[in-house]
Amino acid sequence: MLTRYRLHYAPDNASLVIRLVLEEMGVPYETVLVDRRRNEQDSAAYRALNPNGLIPVLETPQGPIFETAAILLWLSERHGQLAPAAGAPERAEFLKWLFFASNTLHADLRILFYAEKYITPPQADTLRAGIRPRLKQHLQLLDALAKRAPAWFCAECPSVLTYYVACMMRWMALYPAEADRSWYALPDTPAMQTILAQLETRPATHTAIAAEGLGPAPYTSPIYANPLEGSAT
C-alpha cells in the first residue's frame, strides 16, 4: 500500500499521539523530523504547513492538518477506527471527552510547561502552582471515566482518546524538567494506571518506544526521550 501520510514530528511532542494512532490503525506513513534544537518549527517551510509553528502536522491527500485533536478526529473518521462511528449512541459522549482532553487538559498542560509564555518569568512558578490543582481535578474526572470503562476509553480496544490521555499523563511525570513534579502520582488514579500499564503491552507502543527512545515503560515509569530533541507540546 502506498504511503498516504507524512507526519512531522519531534520525539515526545504531541506528534507522539499521532504516531501511536497511526500504528494502532495499521495505516502506512512516513515521518519527517522537526529538529527543535535548530528551531525548525519556526522555519518558513514548516510555517507554510502550520502557521502557528506547533508540532505535529500531518500531510494528507487533502492537505496538511494541524492541531492534535483535529488530526485524531480526522483519522478516526477517515479510517473508521478508534472512535465511535458518526451516529452511534456513544458518539456524543466520546466527542465531549475528546474535546475536554484537547481544550481543557492539554491547554492547562501548556500553561504548566510554558508558564513563561503566559506571564512574566518571575511569576511563572506561581502560575504553575495555581494550575496543578486544576490538573489533579482533571485527572480525577478521567479516572472516574476509566472506572466506568466505556468501550472507547479502555486499553483492550483503545481509541484516539485513550492514547491522547496516556501521552499527556506521561508528560505530567516528566515536564517541565526544572520544576516540582511531586504533585503528580500515578497511583492517585488507579483506573488510569491500569489502562496505561495495558497500553504498554501493545505493538503500537512498542513501535513508538523504538522510534522515539521512550524507554520500556513510557506511560507508567517514563524517562526522557533519547535522543532528546524537544519537550512535550
Side-chain angles (χ1 to χ4, degrees):
M1 185 182 295
L2 294 176
T3 298
R4 290 186 264 178
Y5 304 131
R6 299 180 79 215
L7 174 62
H8 295 257
Y9 85 102
D12 214 15
N13 279 233
S15 51
L16 173 60
V17 187
I18 310 305
R19 182 194 291 275
L20 286 162
V21 164
L22 289 168
E23 289 292 337
E24 188 71 40
M25 288 180 170
V27 175
Y29 65 100
E30 298 174 350
T31 57
V32 181
L33 176 66
V34 182
D35 192 340
R36 293 185 59 174
R37 295 170 301 183
R38 300 180 180 179
N39 293 318
E40 287 183 353
Q41 72 274 17
D42 293 325
S43 68
Y46 190 79
R47 292 274 180 164
L49 298 171
N50 183 353
N52 298 308
L54 297 176
I55 300 166
V57 165
L58 184 69
E59 290 190 75
T60 79
Q62 283 72 47
I65 308 174
F66 54 85
E67 295 295 331
T68 302
I71 299 171
L72 293 175
L73 189 56
W74 187 88
L75 284 171
S76 70
E77 292 177 346
R78 178 78 173 177
H79 296 281
Q81 297 186 57
L82 306 191
E90 62 270 28
R91 176 74 168 182
E93 188 177 24
F94 166 78
L95 287 175
K96 75 182 182 184
W97 284 105
L98 177 62
F99 282 88
F100 168 83
S102 175
N103 297 354
T104 303
L105 179 58
H106 202 167
D108 283 353
L109 276 182
R110 285 190 59 81
I111 294 173
L112 180 73
F113 299 150
Y114 305 114
E116 292 82 1
K117 293 185 177 181
Y118 296 87
I119 201 167
T120 57
Q123 297 175 299
D125 286 341
T126 301
L127 180 57
R128 287 192 175 99
I131 206 69
R132 287 175 189 135
R134 280 178 51 87
L135 290 168
K136 293 184 74 169
Q137 182 180 24
H138 300 338
L139 289 175
Q140 289 303 313
L141 291 174
L142 288 165
D143 199 56
L145 177 65
K147 288 176 183 175
R148 287 202 287 112
W152 42 265
F153 196 59
C154 63
E156 292 83 0
C157 187
S159 70
V160 297
L161 175 62
T162 318
Y163 277 117
Y164 196 3
V165 172
C167 289
M168 287 191 280
M169 292 183 72
R170 164 186 168 78
W171 301 330
M172 290 181 203
L174 292 175
Y175 303 110
E178 70 280 1
D180 175 27
R181 295 187 305 280
S182 61
W183 66 275
Y184 174 79
L186 183 55
D188 290 344
T189 51
M192 285 304 311
Q193 185 174 22
T194 298
I195 286 179
L196 299 190
Q198 291 173 315
L199 284 179
E200 288 174 345
T201 69
R202 298 192 69 84
T205 296
H206 294 167
T207 299
I209 287 171
E212 301 196 16
L214 303 179
Y219 313 123
T220 61
S221 186
I223 61 173
Y224 293 111
N226 182 25
L228 189 65
E229 289 159 334
S231 58
T233 58

